[in-house]
Amino acid sequence: MGGRKKVSSALVSVYHKDRLDGIARRLHELGITIFATGGTQDFIEGIGIPVTPVENLTDYPSILGGRVKTLHPKIFGGILSRRENPSDVTELLEFKIPEIDLVIVDLYPFEATLASGASDAEVIEKIDIGGISLIRAAAKNFKDVLIIPSVSQYAFLETVLFENDAYTSLEERKRMAAHAFSISSSYDSAIFNYFNEEVALNVFNVGYKERTQLRYGENPHQKGFFYGKLSECLSQIHGKELSYNNILDVDAAINLISDFKEPCISILKHNNACGVASGDSLLENWNKALAADPVSAFGGVVISNQELTIELAAELNKIFFEICIAPSYTDEALGILKQKKNRIILKLLSTSFGQRQFRTALNGVLAQDKDLMIDSEENLKTVTKSSPSIVEMKDLLFAMKIAKHTKSNTIVLAKDSCMLASGTGQTSRVDALNQAIEKAKKFGFDLKGAVMASDAFFPFPDCVEIAHSAGIRAVIQPGGSVKDQESVDYCDRNGMTMVMTGIRHFRH
């Protein structure tokens, strides 16, 4: 590794002081001059380590309530000077500017302050100016300066100080510069998005601080990465690392289960539900969900919105499934589930994932608001002469929750708060219905008295005709077809009920 340099001076300006004591002590042991600002200076001096205040270097005090501390030529000149440039060296000597070889920064917590619900004034004060400038300057001059842009890079710094006696290579400094500009970019993106909520500029700007390399992408020949902090929404208790496809399935499972307030269990495969049941007994919910499609359940994802108990774990353990998700587990349940060493066991920590969705398309990115609409009885319109019974209404809303989270075109059949079958991802709505009916019959379900949910309108009355022939009694759909009345008239003539939501739930 080339460009090996030793740190002789360091500027430290951090918001969080975690782990700083050990670093400061080691800097002092190595004879490295420490320059520091305000609270950082107080902390280091408080543990008995001598510090040169930046005010002594700049001959200016911290002003404007701390808004201006390091923005001075004697600071930035020492960071940006090119050590092998004779003109730069001469100017440093002329203006008595010391070289600064190491910059340690931890930015004001803008995103945490925003997430806390703080006032606009408090949020604005957490926009770091000096710190972000120090990061960019040190990263730009990586040939001569080592930048540590956040606490996340302290482990590397500790290796440099304790194992390498403050020596770094050019490659190491360049890698830290990349980290620095990543942090700078993410920080600025968060600030931009805060302002843009009101201003609404036509600009796409999203930044993620963390990237996790996955085993591969959707297929082994594709590289895969996850950008974001999985640890904020999930805690992995057991099993192998999550794959690209695992993450997509987990996302689909959590989005589906989040629409159910009552106890519910769902089984998913390839992002689509193959079994869902809701009711007071989780064990009964599991048995009903599994019965809907025990073939597809093999190797799937199981999710519960209630604590997973030993009784349920014992039943789950009878079949092979790849992932289990729940908000909590009893110790006895975990003991059973962990018997399969590769089984992924996840604890659900949060279902708050933001309100926008993004996907690449052509040479750009598509963005949209998430479909957060949950159909309720209040937004339904009964369009047939007869109205659904209380039980039918409950089943209709239950079925539509599933249809909302199933690939279009989809038809979902349900009865007694249990999904009987679904037709998924079909190019024709008739094909989706026929697929659902065939699957329900395959697994021994009687469709008499069942309900049908469609994610979009029926362009012709053929779907209600087929549904009636199968024994289906009630239908829920968005409506909006020029031939809606033909479907309504057929229902009226054949004793069926139909409600319309006015809300389409396409999922491509």
Side-chain angles (χ1 to χ4, degrees), residues 23-43:
I23 290 171
R25 293 182 196 279
R26 183 57 177 167
L27 289 172
H28 180 59
E29 288 174 3
L30 293 170
I32 295 171
T33 301
I34 303 174
F35 301 101
T37 61
T40 305
Q41 173 195 337
D42 293 340
F43 177 85

Side-chain angles (χ1 to χ4, degrees), residues 24 51 66 134 174 187 196 213 215 241 246 272 275-276 281 298 300 323 386 395 401 432-433 439-440 448 454 462:
V51 177
L134 292 171
K174 189 171 185 178
Y187 196 77
N196 204 44
Q213 182 161 2
R215 295 197 301 274
E241 291 182 2
N246 289 155
N272 293 308
V276 184
S281 168
F298 184 86
I323 302 173
S386 60
D395 284 341
K401 288 178 182 178
L433 175 55
K439 181 177 282 191
K448 185 176 181 180
S454 175
D462 45 9

Side-chain angles (χ1 to χ4, degrees), residues 26-90:
R26 183 57 177 167
L27 289 172
H28 180 59
E29 288 174 3
L30 293 170
I32 295 171
T33 301
I34 303 174
F35 301 101
T37 61
T40 305
Q41 173 195 337
D42 293 340
F43 177 85
I44 296 175
E45 288 179 336
I47 59 174
I49 304 298
V51 177
T52 300
V54 292
E55 290 90 341
N56 291 4
L57 180 58
T58 63
D59 293 325
Y60 269 91
S62 172
I63 62 174
L64 306 180
R67 280 190 164 196
V68 180
K69 296 189 285 282
T70 58
L71 297 171
H72 193 280
K74 282 198 171 182
I75 298 293
F76 283 86
I79 295 171
L80 287 165
S81 65
R82 292 158 292 188
R83 288 13 175 200
E84 296 178 0
N85 184 306
S87 176
D88 286 7
V89 173
T90 299

